Amino acid sequence: TQLLEQSPQFLSIQEGENLTVYCNSSSVFSSLQWYRQEPGEGPVLLVTVVTGGEVKKLKRLTFQFGDARKDSSLHITAAQPGDTGLYLCAGKLYKLSFGAGTTVTVRA
Amino acid sequence: GAGVSQTPSNKVTEKGKYVELRCDPISGHTALYWYRQSLGQGPEFLIYFQGTGAADDSGLPNDRFFAVRPEGSVSTLKIQRTERGDSAVYLCASSLGQGQGEAFFGQGTRLTVV
């Protein structure tokens, strides 16, 4: 049973379009992290959100943590082919519990 | 090395054989985690070490799986009597301590049981 549910599972868009990935749980986490993983590599941390309602921006990426610290979203503006990858959210208690991931493909 | 190192990067073994997967964490990181990832899925927690002791092994699927970290640094994940369903990428991560700082992942070991 997945502690964190991510949606959609797959997302294919054209370069320049925007996209949003969602991460939902019934559990409250002390923090939530977003990772990006490329084939043959381990996940690489993008951001950690800690405070309910927190919004963090990383260039074209915007991360939001829900007020109740149970859900989060990742929004990418003007997606580029280099944004292609598996995006994972992970909730942290003392260990990281991952969602199933969203495979994002950005077509040139 | 600067990052988490896992060896081998690929391992092909026959059903029923025993395998060992090695993880060298970042120097000074006391927390070490093992995860298993199937194609297109998120990493699934297996076991967490704080120092030499397994603080949480609730993710190990059955008693064929065992992990050690005898000196609080290098860890070995051991799988006995491998089955085809054990085929996956096994990821190791380390962090400064329990709940402290970013967890850094290795590139993983791709295990294929034929």
Side-chain angles (χ1 to χ4, degrees), chain B residues 22-42:
Chain B
R22 178 187 167 105
C23 173
D24 279 89
I26 292 173
S27 178
H29 281 192
T30 61
L32 185 145
Y33 311 81
W34 282 99
Y35 288 83
R36 178 169 69 173
Q37 187 174 26
S38 299
L39 189 64
Q41 296 294 312

Side-chain angles (χ1 to χ4, degrees), chain A residues 2 9-10 33 35 37 40-45 86 88 92-101 103, chain B residues 33 35 37 40-45 48 55-56 58 91 98-103 105-108 110:
Chain A
Q2 211 80 43
Q9 186 177 0
F10 298 97
Q33 300 182 332
Y35 289 79
Q37 185 178 22
E41 300 293 328
V44 175
L45 180 67
L86 177 67
L88 296 157
K92 192 168 189 179
L93 294 172
Y94 65 89
K95 66 186 181 189
L96 283 175
S97 297
F98 284 86
T103 299
Chain B
Y33 311 81
Y35 288 83
Q37 187 174 26
Q41 296 294 312
E44 172 193 4
F45 171 79
Y48 156 62
D56 182 350
S58 61
L91 292 165
Q98 178 180 324
Q100 295 181 42
E102 178 181 350
F105 283 82
Q107 83 285 2
R110 179 175 298 280

Side-chain angles (χ1 to χ4, degrees), chain A residues 26-48:
Chain A
S26 58
S27 299
V28 176
F29 296 100
S30 60
S31 67
L32 196 140
Q33 300 182 332
W34 284 94
Y35 289 79
R36 179 167 166 265
Q37 185 178 22
E38 297 193 40
E41 300 293 328
V44 175
L45 180 67
L46 296 174
V47 78
T48 300

